Amino acid sequence: MPAPRQVVDYALQRRALLVEVHAGRVGTAEVCDASPYLLRAARFHGRPTDKHCPVCRKDTLTHVWWVFGEELRHASGSARKPEEIDDLADRVGEFTVYLVEVCRTCSWNHLVQSWAEGSGARPDRPRRRRTAAE
């Protein structure tokens, strides 16, 4: 499997937001707003980390990987485990992976990283049918 490409790290954005939260300029209700779908994905597809939630400090964070891409068809926009992403990377030309951290206790969530994955192969283009005149 090729190495991830076009990696974007959101650590600085996360740090700045947490400074605002701890200073009281941003309320916890504004940042602890994970959707039920994200919380369910964290439960069934996520991987627990050893890092504690920066907001509630009661629970550890869970990482959830989301995949998006035209070539994924029905799988686009779904949460996947890292093993499944490796399998997709071998079979699909290109798609984007988004890693999100989630606290299942207080609903804190933040985008950690995004990157391009895939074999790099271009999808087969549909062949044009020939007409009887050709």
Side-chain angles (χ1 to χ4, degrees):
M1 177 178 75
R5 304 174 306 277
Q6 302 169 351
V7 177
V8 178
D9 193 325
Y10 297 91
L12 292 175
Q13 184 183 31
R14 178 186 187 271
R15 189 176 313 148
L17 179 59
L18 288 171
V19 165
E20 295 292 310
V21 169
H22 294 305
R25 291 185 288 269
V26 174
T28 56
E30 293 179 52
V31 295
C32 295
D33 60 350
S35 72
Y37 188 63
L38 177 57
L39 293 171
R40 207 169 19 257
R43 181 175 176 198
F44 293 107
H45 298 284
R47 291 279 164 87
T49 68
D50 53 354
K51 293 171 35 178
H52 283 279
C53 175
V55 178
C56 73
R57 294 181 168 82
K58 293 179 184 173
D59 200 1
T60 57
L61 295 172
T62 301
H63 280 166
V64 181
W65 292 263
W66 293 92
V67 294
F68 290 88
E70 203 173 299
E71 293 178 52
L72 293 173
R73 295 187 179 93
H74 70 281
S76 182
S78 62
R80 298 293 169 153
K81 294 182 179 181
E83 304 82 35
E84 294 174 297
I85 293 172
D86 291 341
D87 183 48
L88 285 172
D90 292 337
R91 295 184 294 118
V92 178
E94 185 168 298
F95 60 97
T96 303
V97 180
Y98 295 91
L99 173 60
V100 179
E101 65 182 11
V102 181
C103 176
R104 292 176 49 198
T105 301
C106 74
S107 297
W108 156 264
N109 63 100
H110 198 274
L111 179 60
V112 176
Q113 264 188 347
S114 65
W115 64 90
E117 278 279 0
S119 63
R122 297 187 58 89
D124 292 336
R125 297 195 177 166
R127 293 184 180 167
R128 189 175 71 85
R129 286 189 169 179
R130 293 182 153 213
T131 62
E134 296 176 326

